[in-house]
Amino acid sequence: MRDAIADAYDRTPYESGCFPFTHPARMGAVARLHGIEAPLPQNCRVLEIGCAMGQNLLPLALQYPQAHFVGVDLSVVQIARARASANDLGIENVELLHGDIRELQDQLRGPFDFIICHGVYSWVPPPVRDGILRCCARHLTEHGVAMISFNALPGGGEFRRTRDLVLSLTTGVDASDLPERHRRARAALEILLRDTGEHLDAAMRSAIQTFIDAPASYAIHEYLSDYNEAFSLSMFTAHLEPHGLRYLADAQLDIDGARERLAQRSGLTTRGMSPLALEETLDALVGNAFRRALIVRDTAHHGSYPDLKALRSMAVACRFAEVTEAADGTEITAPMTLQTPAGRTLRLLLPAAKDTARRVLRGQPCYIPVGSVLADRNSPEAEIVLKTLLRLATEGFLDLVTSPLAIAAELPDPPRLWPWAAYAFRSGAGLFCGTTHEPREMTAEMRWLFQAIDGHKPVSELERLWRAQPGRLALSTDPKYPLVDKNEAAEVPPLRSLLKSFHALGAVT
C-alpha cells in the first residue's frame, strides 16, 4: 500500500502552501502558555513529515538561516521539486529526504525541537500512523513540540457521505487513474447539482459544491485516496499513550479561545468533567471536523494554563482596528470597540485594557514585545495587561509568537519582494506568503504588482504605472488582513493600500 500511496502523489503532486499554525514561533507560544519551555525558532531544529513540495518548510528555512530543517516525503516527484526550489533559492539549511518515515528514522539527524505532520495522519494506514508517533517519541527533544493534524470526530464523520458518493461515481474507472476519476466524479456531480439540487439537503449541496470548486490535487487526495479516517480525541490520545506522548492543546489559539468561552457560558466547566471529556463534549457541540493537535513528551514538565509569566517574554502583532463610535461619558468610562477584518467585535471597558489595545495598535504592522506593552505598569495593572493580551490572542485579535517575526517598521521605498514571495510569482504558484507565514492567493492584481516590483522603482513610479494601465484591473485589497484605518481608507491610493498589505505580511521588504 505504501507504493500505491507514493504512486498517487507521484502522478498527481499535491499543490500545497504554508500553514501559519505550523510556524515554530506560534507552536512555541501555545506550548509556553501551557508551561512547556518550547525553544525559540532562531536556532531550532525542525522536522516535517509529509513535506510535499516544500511550500510549508522552505519559507521557514529561508526565514531562519541559523536553524536546521528536515523534510521527509514518500513521493520522489514531490521531493525532487522541493530540492529544485531549495537550490533555486540558495537555501542551505534544509535536508530533503525521500522515503517512508518508518524506514528513515535511523537517517534522521535528530533530535528535533519541532515536528510537523500536517495532512498525513488521517490519510495513511495504521502502521504508518504508528511510525509517525514512534518518530516523535524517538526524535522529539525533552521540551520539544509536535503538531499532528487529523480529521476529527464527530464533524469529520459527515465528510464520509460525500466521499462515499464520489467513490461510487468512479466505479469502473482504473483505480490508478486519479485525474480521470476526479474528472468523472466532478462532471457527474455538476449534473446532479444542476438537475436535482433542490431535492438535496443543504449540507449535501454545500459538500458537493465544495468538491466541485476544490483544486484538482486537493480533491483527488482528499476524496479518492485509499485512506481517509477521522478520530475522536480519546482515540487519538489512546494512540499516543504507548509512545510516551500526550496531547497538549490545539495549535490555533483562537480555536481554543472560542471553545473556552462556550464551555464557560454553557456551564460545562462546573460539571467536574475531565479535560478530555470536556474537549469531546465541545467537539460534539460545535461539530469539530479537524484538529491540529500539539503533542509533547509525557515527561515534559508543565504548569497550569495559562502561564502569564511566560507571556511576558513573547511578542504580539495587531489583528484588529478600533471602531469605537462617539459615546456619552469621558474617555475613561467610554467603552472601546475592536473589530477584526472578519467582522468579529470585542468591547473593552477597563482603562488599562483599552490602553493595552491602543499600544498594540500603534505598533502595527510590527510584532512588538509584550514587555514594551507592560512598560511603566505597576503589579495590579500588569496583570490586567497580560490578561487582556491573552484574551485578545485567544479570540483572534492578536497574533502571539515566542519572538517577533520580521516586519519592517515602515513600507520600504523602493519596495523589494521577500525571496519566497518572488519565487512563488516566478514559478506560477497560486499562493504566496511573507515572513508571517500566512498564505495569500496570487490574484491578477498581485501578479501585476509582483512583476512591477524590481527593487529599484519607488512607490511613486509604481503608482504612475498602475494608473497608466489600459483597462486597469479593478483593485481589491485583501479582505482578511491587514487593516487600513477607516479614516485613512478614502485617502490611501489603491496601489499603496495593496503595498501596505504586502508589507504587513512580510512579502515586501
Side-chain angles (χ1 to χ4, degrees):
M1 191 56 63
R2 173 176 66 91
D3 293 336
I5 295 173
D7 183 64
Y9 284 94
D10 284 344
R11 286 170 177 254
T12 309
Y14 186 67
E15 298 290 341
S16 185
C18 62
F19 305 101
F21 52 87
T22 67
H23 195 295
R26 295 191 179 100
M27 291 171 60
V30 178
R32 288 188 174 206
L33 286 175
H34 286 79
I36 302 294
E37 296 179 11
L40 296 175
Q42 286 80 357
N43 297 288
C44 69
R45 296 179 58 83
V46 179
L47 167 67
E48 183 170 23
I49 301 171
C51 67
M53 293 184 284
Q55 300 100 321
N56 186 61
L57 193 68
L58 294 179
L60 295 174
L62 190 64
Q63 186 175 3
Y64 295 107
Q66 302 305 312
H68 187 73
F69 298 83
V70 177
V72 173
D73 201 88
L74 191 61
S75 165
V76 65
V77 171
Q78 294 189 150
I79 281 293
R81 293 190 184 180
R83 287 171 177 165
S85 297
N87 288 335
D88 287 348
L89 285 162
I91 300 175
E92 299 180 347
N93 59 329
V94 64
E95 295 179 69
L96 295 161
L97 306 176
H98 165 245
D100 188 322
I101 189 61
R102 294 172 293 176
E103 299 169 0
L104 289 175
Q105 299 207 21
D106 290 337
Q107 297 180 39
L108 296 176
R109 293 189 294 168
F112 296 97
D113 301 306
F114 297 96
I115 297 178
I116 301 164
C117 185
H118 178 56
V120 178
Y121 198 80
S122 284
W123 296 267
V124 292
V128 180
R129 295 199 292 267
D130 186 68
I132 291 169
L133 297 182
R134 281 192 288 108
C135 180
C136 293
R138 178 174 177 179
H139 291 291
L140 201 61
T141 58
E142 182 59 29
H143 298 290
V145 184
M147 193 292 303
I148 299 178
S149 65
F150 55 90
N151 288 334
L153 293 173
E158 290 297 308
F159 169 78
R160 182 166 292 279
R161 278 205 305 167
T162 315
R163 173 173 154 83
D164 289 345
L165 175 60
V166 169
L167 291 174
S168 71
L169 295 172
T170 65
T171 302
V173 183
D174 180 2
S176 66
D177 192 349
L178 295 173
E180 177 61 16
R181 292 175 66 196
H182 171 251
R183 189 193 67 78
R184 293 271 190 99
R186 190 173 186 275
L189 288 175
E190 285 178 334
I191 294 171
L192 178 68
L193 206 57
R194 182 192 67 203
D195 295 344
T196 63
E198 70 274 13
H199 300 296
L200 305 176
D201 66 72
M204 179 55 78
R205 283 199 305 272
S206 176
I208 291 173
Q209 192 64 57
T210 296
F211 175 83
I212 291 171
D213 294 339
S217 69
Y218 172 83
I220 284 172
H221 296 297
E222 184 71 18
Y223 294 85
L224 297 171
S225 61
D226 291 323
Y227 294 90
N228 193 318
E229 301 294 329
F231 308 99
S232 67
L233 185 57
S234 60
M235 292 166 67
F236 181 66
T237 57
H239 296 172
L240 298 177
E241 287 175 3
H243 299 278
L245 303 168
R246 63 181 172 85
Y247 172 77
L248 188 67
D250 196 279
Q252 289 195 197
L253 268 179
D254 56 338
I255 290 177
D256 268 3
R259 293 164 67 89
E260 184 179 355
R261 289 195 306 278
L262 175 60
Q264 291 173 348
R265 293 172 184 175
S266 64
L268 290 173
T269 53
T270 64
R271 294 181 176 269
M273 293 182 177
S274 69
L276 180 60
L278 178 59
E279 281 287 309
E280 293 204 311
T281 301
L282 291 170
D283 280 346
L285 290 174
V286 302
N288 188 32
F290 196 74
R291 188 175 291 278
R292 304 156 189 84
L294 294 185
I295 64 173
V296 295
R297 289 188 178 279
D298 254 342
T299 55
H301 174 74
H302 68 285
S304 59
Y305 175 87
D307 188 339
L308 294 181
K309 183 179 178 181
L311 182 58
R312 288 175 173 267
S313 64
M314 299 188 202
V316 294
C318 182
R319 293 293 186 268
F320 63 84
E322 182 180 355
V323 294
T324 305
E325 303 295 335
D328 294 333
T330 66
E331 172 65 22
I332 294 176
T333 60
M336 178 183 184
T337 303
L338 314 180
Q339 186 176 54
T340 68
R344 291 178 57 193
T345 59
L346 182 67
R347 297 174 80 236
L348 301 178
L349 299 175
L350 295 176
K354 291 186 288 185
D355 181 69
T356 298
R358 291 192 176 109
R359 291 190 184 199
V360 173
L361 192 59
R362 286 196 296 269
Q364 70 172 333
C366 296
Y367 286 78
I368 59 175
V370 170
S372 68
V373 184
L374 283 168
D376 305 322
R377 292 294 186 186
N378 58 34
S379 183
E381 283 192 336
E383 185 173 354
I384 294 174
V385 170
L386 292 171
K387 288 183 177 179
T388 299
L389 292 174
L390 180 63
R391 182 184 180 193
L392 292 174
T394 56
E395 299 203 20
F397 289 78
L398 290 181
D399 189 22
L400 180 65
V401 291
T402 51
S403 58
L405 308 186
I407 301 288
E410 301 291 339
L411 174 65
D413 194 4
R416 293 177 175 83
L417 290 178
W418 189 55
W420 182 262
Y423 181 77
F425 166 69
R426 292 196 308 270
S427 61
L431 298 171
F432 74 96
C433 74
T435 56
T436 65
H437 210 60
E438 297 171 274
R440 291 294 180 269
E441 182 181 357
M442 189 77 77
T443 64
E445 300 97 330
M446 293 177 183
R447 290 190 183 281
W448 179 90
L449 185 54
F450 277 23
Q451 185 173 21
I453 293 175
D454 59 7
H456 302 290
K457 294 186 186 74
V459 173
S460 58
E461 174 66 7
L462 292 171
E463 289 179 316
R464 185 191 67 76
L465 292 171
W466 176 259
R467 289 192 297 267
Q469 286 185 90
R472 180 161 62 92
L473 295 168
L475 181 63
S476 60
T477 56
D478 191 317
K480 296 182 179 179
Y481 172 80
L483 297 131
V484 176
D485 185 271
K486 62 176 182 177
N487 296 319
E488 181 190 17
E491 304 171 8
V492 176
L495 188 64
R496 191 176 293 266
S497 182
L498 186 58
L499 280 171
K500 289 176 69 174
S501 294
F502 292 156
H503 169 225
L505 288 168
V508 169
T509 60

